[in-house]
């Protein structure tokens, strides 16, 4: 392991983190989620401090009171008076899950997101991947009229052995269902890498390590992602005509893992999920999931990163504008120690 410069060893003050909440009660977790009705009506059923709450996107969060099994109520206003509005959770015929809630007179269907913590969200590419790969490799990044810093990419695992990798783009476990990287490795520009390592050291005080999904990304991969993704999912992928901050080596996709068990930590949504659960301020899920997501964000922002507006796992380093768009495959990188 290379000697650590002073900038890497410098530490910040402890994070101002609220007390860690307990896990959600097991009888409540099957009820959590997004429910959508006719038009644009959407409600979130979430857990907070062991209790159910409801958020409709307009009004403040309101508690859901339990009347009996699967029958609940919320307090609402009708003709200027406070009334109890019934809420019923309707289970599937097999009894294994909830598929609908009846909220007053409205019937809202549960949104189903086909993803879990170890399996990537998946979309059907709009064109064959091999066709897109050939086109992307023949193309080039947009020209930029700017004086950039000289790139200095470093491999993250050489700076801190507690950094774990889950580079899904080097496997079939990604949103396109096929490998797009030649090697399962992660790189960042040196200042960004050192800042990330400082964040990792802060997180060790809370019992967590960093699990990296992606760092530097060659431009041709950004081109593949853009061309393969359906129109409705393009807010979650970078436009190659602008380039990605990943292409500059100043963006990292990551999550937390438990230092004792080595297992990834549950967040309100999963990595690369193309749904509202990916938004950094998504209000749903459990208290513990939101706390974990916000802890990661606070640790990274304390070191000069900014969370991306539609992805809780994506963080951009503050100096990303100072580096050029790169299009070098991993096996062709020339690294310094």
């Amino acid at each position: 392991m290379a000697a650590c410069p002073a900038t890497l060893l410098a530490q910040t003050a402890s994070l101002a983190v609220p007390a860690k909440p307990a896990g959600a009660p097991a009888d409540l977790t099957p009820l959590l989620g997004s429910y959508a009705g006719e038009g644009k009506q959407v409600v979130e059923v979430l857990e907070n401090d062991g209790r159910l709450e409801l958020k409709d996107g307009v009004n403040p969060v309101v508690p859901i009171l339990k009347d009996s099994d699967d029958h609940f109520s919320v307090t609402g206003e009708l003709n200027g008076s406070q009334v109890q509005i019934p809420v019923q959770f309707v289970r599937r015929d097999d009894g294994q899950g909830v598929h609908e809630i009846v909220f007053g007179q409205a019937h809202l269907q549960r949104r189903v997101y086909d993803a879990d913590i170890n399996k990537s969200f998946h979309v059907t590419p709009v064109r064959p991947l091999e066709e897109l790969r050939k086109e992307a490799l023949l193309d080039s990044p947009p020209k930029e009229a700017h004086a950039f810093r000289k790139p200095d990419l470093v491999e993250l695992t050489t700076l801190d052995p507690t950094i774990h990798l889950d580079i899904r783009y080097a496997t079939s476990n990604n949103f396109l269902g096929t490998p797009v990287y030649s090697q399962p490795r992660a790189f960042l520009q040196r200042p960004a890498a050192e800042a990330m390592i400082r964040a990792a050291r802060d997180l060790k005080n809370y019992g967590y390590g960093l699990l990296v999904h992606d760092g530097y990304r060659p431009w041709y991969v950004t081109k593949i992602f853009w061309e393969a993704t359906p129109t409705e999912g393009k807010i979650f992928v970078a436009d190659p005509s602008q380039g990605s901050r990943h292409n500059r080596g100043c963006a990292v996709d990551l999550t937390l893992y438990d230092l004792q068990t080595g297992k990834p930590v549950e967040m309100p949504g999963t990595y690369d999920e193309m749904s509202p659960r990916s938004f950094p301020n998504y209000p749903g899920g459990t208290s513990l999931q939101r706390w974990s997501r916000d802890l990661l964000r606070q640790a990274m922002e304390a070191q000069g990163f900014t969370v991306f507006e539609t992805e809780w796992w994506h963080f951009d380093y503050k100096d990303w504008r100072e580096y050029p768009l790169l299009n070098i495959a991993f096996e062709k990188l020339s690294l310094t120690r």
Side-chain angles (χ1 to χ4, degrees), residues 128-257:
L129 264 295
E130 283 309 309
E131 178 181 307
L132 296 176
R133 188 190 305 274
K134 290 178 181 179
E135 291 179 4
L137 288 171
L138 292 173
D139 206 345
S140 300
K143 301 296 183 182
E144 299 180 290
H146 188 74
F148 293 105
R149 295 186 192 179
K150 182 180 179 180
D152 184 16
L153 292 171
V154 294
E155 191 156 11
L156 296 178
T157 53
T158 65
L159 298 181
D160 187 336
T162 70
I163 299 298
H164 287 187
L165 301 182
D166 180 14
I167 309 300
R168 298 189 183 183
Y169 297 146
T171 73
S172 296
N173 184 19
N174 60 61
F175 78 102
L176 294 178
T178 190
V180 290
Y181 285 170
S182 56
Q183 299 174 340
R185 302 168 72 186
F187 311 86
L188 285 178
Q189 301 292 354
R190 188 174 299 275
E194 293 173 350
M196 197 198 85
I197 300 306
R198 292 195 295 271
R201 292 179 178 176
D202 283 339
L203 288 164
K204 289 176 187 176
N205 297 324
Y206 300 89
Y208 298 109
L210 289 176
L211 177 65
V212 175
H213 291 303
D214 196 21
Y216 160 67
R217 179 184 304 162
W219 179 86
Y220 78 87
V221 176
T222 295
K223 175 82 169 177
I224 293 173
F225 288 173
W226 179 262
E227 299 296 341
T229 301
T231 300
E232 62 272 16
K234 285 192 183 296
I235 65 168
F236 297 100
V237 293
D239 183 345
S241 68
Q242 303 296 318
S244 167
R245 294 159 200 182
H246 280 289
N247 305 150
R248 302 180 191 276
C250 285
V252 61
D253 294 346
L254 76 177
T255 188
L256 301 175
Y257 75 90

Side-chain angles (χ1 to χ4, degrees), residues 23-80:
D27 62 326
L28 298 186
T29 53
L31 311 180
L32 307 180
S34 296
Y35 296 83
E38 295 182 359
K40 296 184 178 180
Q41 184 182 19
V42 177
V43 300
E44 296 287 345
V45 176
L46 56 130
E47 180 268 341
N48 190 21
D49 196 23
R51 298 184 295 272
L52 283 183
E53 293 184 342
L54 185 145
K55 182 78 173 71
D56 67 1
V58 178
N59 299 302
V61 173
V62 296
I64 302 177
L65 306 177
K66 186 171 184 178
D67 300 326
S68 62
D69 288 347
D70 295 333
H71 288 77
F72 299 77
S73 62
V74 295
T75 300
E77 186 173 308
L78 180 64
N79 298 326

